[in-house]
Amino acid sequence: MKIKSLSLLLIIMFSIVLSACGNRTTTDDGRTIVEFMHSSVEQERLAVINKLVAKFEKENPDIKIKQVPVEEGNYNTKVVTLARSGNLPAVIEVGNDYAKVMEKDELIDRKSVNKVLDQVGKENFYEGAIDLLRTENGKSYSGVPISGWVQGIWYNKEMLKAKGMEEPKNWEEIMGVAKEFTDKGSKKYGIAIPTVEGPFSEQGFSQFALSNNANVFNNNGDLMLNTPEMNEALTYYKKLSQYTMPGSNDTTEIKDAFMNGTVPMAMYSTYILPSVFEEGDANNIGYIVPEQEQKAVFGMVSALTISSGLEANQKEASEKFVSFMSEPENTTDWVLMSPGGAQPVNKQVTDNPDYQSNEVVKAFGNLSTEIAASFNDIQAFGLVGGKNYLKMGDVTSSGAIPTLINNITVGKSGIKSELKKAEKTIKDALEKR
Amino acid sequence: MKTTIKKGKTDFKLAMVLLFPSLFLLLLLVAYPMFSNIQISFFHLPINPRLDSTFIGLENYINILSDIEFLKSLGLTVLYTALAVGGSTVLGLLVAIFFNRPFMFRKTARSLIILSYVTPSISLIFAWKYMFNNSYGIVNFLGGDVFHLFKQAPLWFDNPVSSFILVVIFAIWRYFPYAFISFLAILQTIDSSLYEAAEIDGASAWQKFKIVTLPAIMPVLITVITLRSIWLFYMFTDVYLLTNKVDILGIYLYKTAFAFNDLGQAASISVILFIILFIVIIAARKRVNFNGNG
């Protein structure tokens, strides 16, 4: 009897605790709660977001924004665990690649996102940037773009000038400059390119592959990895890797090599610019996009998305909040949390006087405009003919492309055999879907 | 007789009341997640809880146990755990024996020894990555440029074999202070007269260790080995941040759970790991008893 009573008490308390773990939708004074998950955990960034939230709450006294800042390294893991426990925040900052994962599991309220995009005006965003957020059918979007970054080849103008060399434009010229500067005995190399068995290699290589019209899928969504174009791009990348630092090069190695003058060219994102500015070298950096058959820029877009399954009042409040954050002056504040690194994806932000007068943006002069314009040349593996294939997420998760790059560059393996292996890994991953 | 029964009943009531907070917390924090994990392992689970989960019976278990990558990973983890536990325990014991005597600056030296254990992993891992960096690491600089030990600098963390050796050395270096502290504490409790008696009987250093030291430290030795084995068997952070050429089980599990978002399969891996570790620990504890007569 006693044991029964004790068990009953334990079960009751247990149920109370578990049910208390759920989300509240309104505050005690009746305001609608909108949880906002983002990756800005640093004090200075939080201060900017707090200011924006305070401004929004003043304009909308019936809504309470509850921030959920999560450190970048744990971000995706947190999305998965919160989603699974049914506690996914209403508004989430998400990268275009992870938006695909959320889209696949129907975690995004497409209708709400499109409603906000219609209010904000799709035409205000750079085409390449908003395309990255297109859904698989090409008719809808998985988020409202707020900022982005692009990747390309950065070069040291003075180093090139000292050797009497011009800015390289295409594959052949890039190879020429890289060869000229390589002196392995003195630990000097021509170009820093990613060779690590990680996402950076897939991103870096994709620029060369896509500039040679080699994508992972064709228009019908069929796997097209083993093609003459892809073979050609891999052969070029392998040859170019002779002029890069030995071993697996990831972001740290590449940034260090460029900043300390080991290489005159480096493949990196715009997040190299804040360090260049700090070194007082803003006038000495140039930006090129590898070109063969066409120009291909790799970029990522950060967007605000609205999660599915919200109650009507939360949904409406979330739409209002995302719409507010997408107003040019508010997005400008967001982008300027990391000036130089985060780039505007909304043309109205690029034209905003506050953005243009920022000291970092000003220091890079025309380069800032050149970078902003390059958003129109963004291409990505899995984005074909306006369709953004969700299964590309599985290809990336399989790690097949980074392993292929690492094996042919660092491991010196043959392209044909490694390409076959990668194709098999991807096919297996796609079959498991 | 009646009095005894009454007293027993009163004790039971009191015991239940006192045990209640602990039982409640155990249920909430250990039992519920454990049973939930076992339940998940029989399902194909979407991330979205509003979508239907599919009961797939033992399919997750069959997939894992027939995956060659899992078996490779298991073998690698067993080897990693055995070498790192063995290495860190032996090194900890040797240093503790060396430090179990009076000498100048003994306290300072002891504090310095535990530095690698108390420093956050992330700082140590980055220091090691810089030390073994292919282009500007101090190891390649000393080995290649200063002492000319090799013509071409080895790619330490790019080769699966050298990567494995390095992660094992890292684990030994990082975790030996735990064994050191534990052994030093027990060594200080051993009566010195036992060593004196052994010396009078003409025992060598090895015999003194075998007859006096080893039986005395056995309970601590078993605890150190058991705990370190559990911790290293589930290791993830150190290896994941140092290299991507050593896919031990922690990494295999992480990739399955979060790269492919296959929560059911990941849950089944953790159940399999628990069963393996449970059997190993029980077998080890039965084999060697606490009195050191194993």
Side-chain angles (χ1 to χ4, degrees), chain A residues 269 314 425:
Chain A
S269 74
Q314 267 193 314
T425 311

PDB file of all heavy atoms in Angstrom, chain A residues 269 314 425:
ATOM      1  N   SER A 269      35.916  33.304 -47.220  1.00  0.00           N
ATOM      2  CA  SER A 269      34.666  34.078 -47.267  1.00  0.00           C
ATOM      3  C   SER A 269      34.953  35.539 -46.938  1.00  0.00           C
ATOM      4  O   SER A 269      36.088  35.909 -46.611  1.00  0.00           O
ATOM      5  CB  SER A 269      33.675  33.518 -46.251  1.00  0.00           C
ATOM      6  OG  SER A 269      34.083  33.891 -44.957  1.00  0.00           O
ATOM      7  N   GLN A 314       0.514  33.472 -32.091  1.00  0.00           N
ATOM      8  CA  GLN A 314       1.982  33.427 -32.181  1.00  0.00           C
ATOM      9  C   GLN A 314       2.439  33.579 -33.627  1.00  0.00           C
ATOM     10  O   GLN A 314       3.432  34.241 -33.913  1.00  0.00           O
ATOM     11  CB  GLN A 314       2.482  32.082 -31.650  1.00  0.00           C
ATOM     12  CG  GLN A 314       2.846  32.108 -30.193  1.00  0.00           C
ATOM     13  CD  GLN A 314       3.618  30.874 -29.818  1.00  0.00           C
ATOM     14  OE1 GLN A 314       3.231  29.765 -30.197  1.00  0.00           O
ATOM     15  NE2 GLN A 314       4.695  31.043 -29.092  1.00  0.00           N
ATOM     16  N   THR A 425      28.892   6.381 -52.273  1.00  0.00           N
ATOM     17  CA  THR A 425      28.489   6.882 -50.943  1.00  0.00           C
ATOM     18  C   THR A 425      27.231   7.739 -51.049  1.00  0.00           C
ATOM     19  O   THR A 425      26.312   7.629 -50.245  1.00  0.00           O
ATOM     20  CB  THR A 425      29.640   7.734 -50.332  1.00  0.00           C
ATOM     21  OG1 THR A 425      30.846   6.994 -50.437  1.00  0.00           O
ATOM     22  CG2 THR A 425      29.384   8.095 -48.895  1.00  0.00           C
TER      23      THR A 425
END
